[in-house]
Amino acid sequence: MTARAADRARYDRATAHLDAPLAIVDLEAFDANADDLVRRAGGKPIRLASKSVRCRTLLERVLAKDGFAGIMSFTLAESLWLARGGFDDVLLAYPSADRTGFHELASDPKLAAAVTVMIDDPAQLRLIDEARDGGREVIRVCLELDTSLRLFGGRVRVGARRSPLHSPAQVADLAREIARRPGFKVVGIMAYEGHIAGVGDSVAGKPFRSRAVRLMQATARRELAERRGEVVRAVRAVVPDLEFVNGGGTGSVQFTAGEDAVTEIGAGSGLYVPRLFDNYTSFTGRPAALFAQPVVRRPGVGVVTVLGGGYPASGAPGRDRLPVPYLPEGLRYDPQEGPGEVQTPLLGSPADDLLIGDKVWFRHAKAGELCERFEVLHLVEGDAVTATVPTYRGEGHTFL
């Protein structure tokens, strides 16, 4: 029996009393992935990206481990909810225009001490001031650096279009403006290198593209390490008591951790290890989060149909954004249908061994987005479900 076949047998036994659709997290794999992130971080703390987990119980489990410290959130409403729930170090990783949330933040000493907001434009400061409506708490601010690689005089750009702050002078100028402005305090710098941490460099069947990605990433790492160091020196000249410099992502943890200027690493997707991480050479994780759909039809030889399954991930549309049939091994989509809203036909010889009601296990393309589809996660240890815990959705929250 292969390791994957053994996992399927475990998951089927663990969930035999549960009807699909359902989602699980294999805690042994989850914990092993957490330990691997800590190992790769080389002693620097990892700030946990909540959008990649979207389950408070699992956030708490990870933060109880040595090597993890703080949350990296994705909306202001989520940040405030987490802070009210006892998380005392929450970095909002994206700018917000949530005026109601900013009013609450500026009016509550506990929230203002726990939450740091992202800024890359003076207009965002003005929006916050207009939203205060009498709230006088000092707002903790993190500046985001654009990490994109610019080549040929800027005519070619590689990387996500995030912050407009690219040069050390631009970041330092904004830090200086904030330092002069009452009601705000610069406490950190964030620089997420998605083109390094979030792009697979070993895509099956595409050797030339994979080689080009590795070359790009090596060039980008060198350029960013030098520029990030210059940015940090420029900002510290304005803000000597800067608390943190955040960088990284699951795919680049060990590289970013090697930079002296970086004080902490941001990561989260590597806990669940979704299918997009199958294309990386920088690390190997264990799939920990899966979902199961029930077989509801047997249309013919070599074909079964499961209920639902059309859960595409965000990003540029493509086959790599689709969930992948994982267990039993050897199933594939009908190319004329793909995964459907209500039903999904699956082809392959393993279909002939599946009966009505059997479970087919899938991996999502990305990490936390799976939790937007399910209200609970069944936590599996060995061949038993040892706990069932709510996702954000299960607690009544869909933040974005």
Side-chain angles (χ1 to χ4, degrees):
M1 181 181 291
T2 67
R4 278 174 61 174
D7 283 341
R8 180 196 174 199
R10 284 197 304 115
Y11 300 151
D12 282 347
R13 287 195 299 270
T15 62
H17 62 297
L18 299 171
D19 288 333
L22 59 84
I24 66 167
V25 171
D26 183 333
L27 288 181
E28 181 181 337
F30 182 85
D31 289 341
N33 293 333
D35 293 342
D36 185 61
L37 285 170
V38 171
R39 177 190 62 80
R40 290 197 289 132
K44 290 189 176 177
I46 298 172
R47 185 178 290 274
L48 181 57
S50 62
K51 78 176 182 66
S52 300
V53 179
R54 302 191 202 199
C55 170
R56 285 205 294 177
T57 299
L58 292 178
L59 292 176
E60 291 166 352
R61 183 184 184 92
V62 174
L63 289 173
K65 295 177 177 290
D66 291 339
F68 289 86
I71 291 282
M72 178 181 286
S73 58
F74 62 101
T75 73
L76 182 54
E78 181 213 13
S79 306
L80 300 177
W81 177 65
L82 290 173
R84 286 193 296 268
F87 294 90
D88 60 4
D89 181 6
V90 182
L91 169 63
L92 175 56
Y94 306 87
S96 176
D98 181 354
R99 291 177 172 84
T100 300
F102 281 128
H103 169 65
E104 185 176 354
L105 182 64
S107 303
D108 188 314
K110 177 184 174 183
L111 296 179
V115 176
T116 301
V117 303
M118 195 63 58
I119 295 293
D120 58 30
D121 189 314
Q124 296 156 352
L125 302 171
R126 292 192 290 273
L127 185 146
I128 295 173
D129 274 337
E130 291 166 1
R132 287 176 183 271
D133 193 25
R136 297 185 178 182
E137 296 300 321
V138 172
I139 304 299
R140 292 168 53 86
V141 167
C142 179
L143 305 178
E144 181 168 5
L145 169 68
D146 169 40
T147 64
S148 65
L149 175 64
R150 298 183 181 181
L151 303 171
F152 306 110
R155 292 189 296 276
V156 174
R157 174 196 179 103
V158 180
R161 296 183 181 277
R162 291 176 64 113
S163 170
L165 307 175
H166 188 81
S167 71
Q170 288 174 314
V171 185
D173 284 347
L174 184 54
R176 197 171 292 110
E177 178 171 346
I178 296 172
R180 292 195 296 261
R181 196 176 189 121
F184 296 92
K185 180 182 180 183
V186 175
V187 298
I189 298 171
M190 188 189 84
Y192 170 62
E193 54 263 31
H195 53 303
I196 303 172
V199 178
D201 63 348
S202 181
V203 182
K206 297 184 178 180
F208 296 110
R209 180 183 185 278
S210 298
R211 196 172 301 123
V213 168
R214 289 194 290 273
L215 177 61
M216 176 277 291
Q217 290 178 335
T219 302
R221 281 198 300 269
R222 291 191 296 270
E223 185 276 337
L224 179 59
E226 180 177 351
R227 179 160 53 90
R228 181 155 40 199
E230 294 172 356
V231 166
V232 172
R233 288 190 291 274
V235 173
R236 286 195 185 279
V238 180
V239 187
D241 57 346
L242 197 68
E243 296 176 16
F244 65 86
V245 177
N246 180 282
T250 292
S252 65
V253 169
Q254 63 268 41
F255 303 113
T256 309
E259 295 182 33
D260 291 339
V262 174
T263 67
E264 64 176 40
I265 309 298
S269 296
L271 295 166
Y272 287 167
V273 183
R275 67 164 294 192
L276 282 176
F277 285 137
D278 291 348
N279 299 326
Y280 284 71
T281 59
S282 60
F283 79 105
T284 301
R286 294 172 55 184
L290 299 94
F291 67 92
Q293 305 295 113
V295 174
V296 293
R297 284 178 172 162
R298 291 171 51 88
V301 175
V303 186
V304 293
T305 300
V306 298
L307 181 70
Y311 306 156
S314 60
R319 291 187 62 82
D320 66 345
R321 300 292 147 167
L322 301 179
V324 61
Y326 185 60
L327 302 170
E329 297 181 65
L331 293 174
R332 64 187 186 279
Y333 292 125
D334 182 332
Q336 296 187 48
E337 294 195 46
E341 177 186 13
V342 179
Q343 67 172 28
T344 297
L346 297 170
L347 313 180
S349 59
D352 294 329
D353 297 322
L354 291 169
L355 304 177
I356 300 296
D358 283 352
K359 296 180 177 76
V360 174
W361 296 89
F362 294 77
R363 292 169 64 200
H364 204 276
K366 297 185 77 172
E369 291 182 26
L370 167 66
C371 295
E372 297 299 328
R373 299 287 183 167
F374 295 91
E375 294 186 352
V376 299
L377 297 173
H378 301 286
L379 307 185
V380 173
E381 296 184 77
D383 60 358
V385 171
T386 57
T388 297
V389 299
T391 61
Y392 280 11
R393 172 177 167 170
E395 294 199 68
H397 294 286
T398 304
F399 291 109
L400 196 61

